[in-house]
Amino acid sequence: MKEKTILKLKLNSDPRWVDIASKNIEDILVDHAYCEQKAASTGISLIVKYPEKTRLVEELTALVAEEWEHFARVLQELRKRGHELGRPRRDEYVVQLMTHIRKGGARERQLMDQLLVSALIEARSCERFKLLWKHIPDPELSQFYYELMASEAGHFVSYVDLAKEYCDAQEVDARLQELLKIEGEIVTNLPVRDDRMH
């Protein structure tokens, strides 16, 4: 699969996900909106934590602006369909991935893990957007997810490149492989839900 080559995912999503998600698009859009909001918040947090890293600040400033634009666009899609934002939901996928960010040790090691976990979240989102683009019956939403898919792939690349900017490239590649394996196990063990983007 092409996206597995670009994004390096070890496991494709369960094909049942897009079938049940497309029948419950309100909940998917609500969850998607919060995913974009959290992605923007993560970028801001990294800027605040590592303000001395000039390239990181510059690239994540642009990324945050893009994620917030996506949040606004998802809100627009909700309103078009007569839906409200609703309350945030716990994202068990992200919660489990975050537990693998190592605490303590060198500051750069923590940064590497934070960047790579963010990269994996973007990669999985991209893969899910591709499924929605190809299979969702609503042509307008299909085009919407096509447009966002390329952006998420770019964010994955940006996060990995930033990790290699501040850490040894071979160490980053090795850690990415470890986290990809963990990410695949998380996806395998989570239930297939019709109200979650991940």
Side-chain angles (χ1 to χ4, degrees):
M1 294 290 290
K2 189 176 180 184
E3 70 266 18
K4 288 178 77 174
T5 303
I6 296 170
L7 304 173
K8 306 181 188 299
L9 293 171
K10 300 291 187 188
L11 181 78
N12 286 331
S13 290
D14 188 316
R16 292 175 298 167
W17 176 79
V18 73
D19 292 331
I20 63 172
S22 64
K23 295 178 178 69
N24 195 25
I25 201 62
E26 178 185 353
D27 277 330
I28 288 297
L29 284 169
V30 169
D31 195 58
H32 179 190
Y34 280 110
C35 288
E36 299 291 357
Q37 181 265 320
K38 289 169 192 171
S41 298
T42 296
I44 292 168
S45 296
L46 286 167
I47 290 168
V48 170
K49 191 171 182 180
Y50 301 96
E52 76 283 3
K53 299 192 182 302
T54 303
R55 181 182 166 194
L56 179 145
V57 171
E58 290 176 355
E59 292 197 17
L60 291 189
T61 296
L63 185 147
V64 166
E66 196 167 292
E67 299 285 19
W68 200 252
E69 180 193 0
H70 293 172
F71 174 71
R73 289 185 66 188
V74 180
L75 283 183
Q76 188 178 32
E77 294 300 329
L78 275 165
R79 291 191 193 107
K80 273 194 227 171
R81 290 160 179 77
H83 305 312
E84 296 178 350
L85 178 59
R87 295 186 175 276
R89 296 90 179 270
R90 178 180 169 88
D91 191 334
E92 193 60 40
Y93 166 81
V94 172
V95 168
Q96 289 190 33
L97 262 182
M98 297 284 282
T99 65
H100 296 280
I101 296 174
R102 295 169 292 186
K103 306 294 188 283
R107 200 157 175 264
E108 274 67 28
R109 190 183 78 166
Q110 291 180 43
L111 173 60
M112 175 177 67
D113 278 9
Q114 289 170 323
L115 291 169
L116 292 181
V117 164
S118 295
L120 291 180
I121 295 167
E122 298 287 345
R124 183 57 64 185
S125 295
C126 179
E127 190 243 8
R128 294 280 168 104
F129 291 174
K130 182 174 182 180
L131 288 173
L132 290 169
W133 161 50
K134 287 194 161 186
H135 300 289
I136 200 166
D138 182 325
E140 191 177 348
L141 271 182
S142 173
Q143 178 63 26
F144 174 68
Y145 280 112
Y146 174 77
E147 292 169 12
L148 265 59
M149 179 181 66
S151 176
E152 301 296 290
H155 294 171
F156 167 81
V157 172
S158 294
Y159 275 121
V160 174
D161 285 350
L162 281 172
K164 291 180 177 180
E165 173 80 9
Y166 299 110
C167 301
D168 177 75
Q170 288 186 331
E171 186 181 351
V172 170
D173 285 336
R175 181 60 175 157
L176 179 58
Q177 290 305 311
E178 291 174 4
L179 289 170
L180 280 162
K181 184 172 182 293
I182 290 166
E183 194 269 353
E185 290 168 355
I186 290 170
V187 169
T188 299
N189 293 323
L190 283 175
V192 179
R193 296 184 60 159
D194 65 354
D195 61 347
R196 295 290 190 276
M197 183 57 72
H198 299 123

